[in-house]
Amino acid sequence: MDQEKIALLREQTPVGIRHAITLLERTGGNVSAARELFEAAQIQTVAGKAGVPPETAARHLQLHGFDISAALQSIDRERYTVTELILRKHAHKPEEAVSLILLALEKVYSFRKEYWIQPAHVADLNEWPRAVALVYEWISCKDYEGFDTALHMYPELMATLLQTTLELEEGADLIRRAHMRVLQLDEQCRLHGRPEVMYGDPELDACEKTFHALCPVIMEKLYALIQTHVTSFP
């Protein structure tokens, strides 16, 4: 096989040497015809994989140098929103999906947060993105700063969101009960000057343990909420 024709075909298409030889053999050494065969096959593959008309497949392939993977990604970006793409990619990882969607929200709406997101930072968001942002952020604060610290950060709002938006009465009751206990311990510490009362309290520890076990359910609820109200997200 003419090495110059192989080289020319490979300059014009992202094709391997053996595939180039096969194409040229099928076309009797005609480089243009070989390129057309290659492009037709790529179009057919992408159209089949993506479930789009050949014209759409051809347009995206041409934009990406007939690279199938890049064309498929381009088609997905065109017909799915950022949120839909995240949900599709992380269907079995709710917490990861919610985290990435929150990052997309921050980027799109440019809301500022001072260390942790506060209700005022997301006041202009739609009801559903606001709920997702605040619930996820509260749990993040719990994980990084501790349960007692999170209980000082909009606990009643968190309880209300769990109760009304996510329909998790158990979670709401836990937050309210734990917050009441933290206030009692704060008062004991203030009156008696004993900061150690804040640590190792059996009632508070039991609330934290139960709430921690509930967190995967909360993430699944957030994921389902985003799915249901996906048009409210980026």
Side-chain angles (χ1 to χ4, degrees):
M1 180 59 64
D2 190 324
Q3 294 300 315
E4 289 186 4
K5 289 184 177 181
I6 294 173
L8 181 59
L9 179 58
R10 296 192 67 206
E11 286 177 8
Q12 297 177 7
T13 59
V15 64
I17 294 176
R18 296 185 68 177
H19 193 189
I21 293 171
T22 300
L23 289 169
L24 288 167
E25 286 176 346
R26 289 178 59 189
T27 60
N30 187 314
V31 175
S32 295
R35 185 183 70 248
E36 290 175 4
L37 274 180
F38 171 80
E39 292 178 354
Q42 298 292 90
I43 291 169
Q44 183 178 8
T45 297
V46 169
K49 284 179 176 290
V52 297
E55 297 79 11
T56 301
R59 175 165 57 84
H60 285 274
L61 280 165
Q62 288 164 359
L63 285 171
H64 298 281
F66 278 83
D67 182 287
I68 287 178
S69 178
L72 289 171
Q73 292 177 31
S74 178
I75 290 170
D76 278 349
R77 287 194 298 271
E78 184 174 87
R79 63 181 176 178
Y80 296 116
T81 65
V82 171
T83 297
E84 288 171 330
L85 287 172
I86 293 171
L87 291 175
R88 286 166 60 85
K89 184 176 181 180
H90 302 281
H92 304 294
K93 298 179 180 179
E95 184 172 358
E96 189 170 341
V98 175
S99 174
L100 291 171
I101 290 167
L102 181 55
L103 289 175
L105 280 169
E106 290 186 39
K107 182 176 181 180
V108 170
Y109 293 102
S110 301
F111 53 81
R112 297 180 62 186
K113 66 176 181 179
E114 299 163 6
Y115 198 55
W116 295 109
I117 294 174
Q118 297 295 324
H121 300 146
V122 292
D124 294 333
L125 266 61
N126 179 285
E127 174 186 1
W128 311 113
R130 184 170 64 250
V132 169
L134 291 173
V135 171
Y136 185 88
E137 194 75 351
W138 198 94
I139 292 175
S140 295
C141 179
K142 173 192 74 70
D143 291 341
Y144 282 94
E145 302 288 348
F147 191 55
D148 58 328
T149 299
L151 287 167
H152 288 89
M153 188 174 79
Y154 57 84
E156 181 53 36
L157 175 57
M158 177 65 175
T160 300
L161 289 170
L162 291 177
Q163 182 177 16
T164 60
T165 305
L166 300 186
E167 299 180 344
L168 280 172
E169 287 281 352
E170 180 186 0
D173 290 343
L174 277 168
I175 294 296
R176 291 187 175 112
R177 190 163 72 249
H179 182 232
M180 182 65 68
R181 184 57 181 159
V182 160
L183 293 179
Q184 292 171 351
L185 294 172
D186 282 345
E187 183 65 8
Q188 289 180 32
C189 182
R190 186 185 68 81
L191 290 175
H192 305 293
R194 295 175 55 208
E196 65 271 15
V197 301
M198 297 298 298
Y199 306 102
D201 180 73
E203 183 179 347
L204 188 59
D205 287 350
C207 287
E208 179 177 5
K209 183 177 180 180
T210 305
F211 187 83
H212 181 75
L214 191 63
C215 283
V217 177
I218 295 174
M219 289 301 165
E220 290 172 3
K221 289 271 190 177
L222 289 176
Y223 184 94
L225 183 148
I226 294 168
Q227 281 186 310
T228 302
H229 303 283
V230 70
T231 56
S232 296
F233 290 82

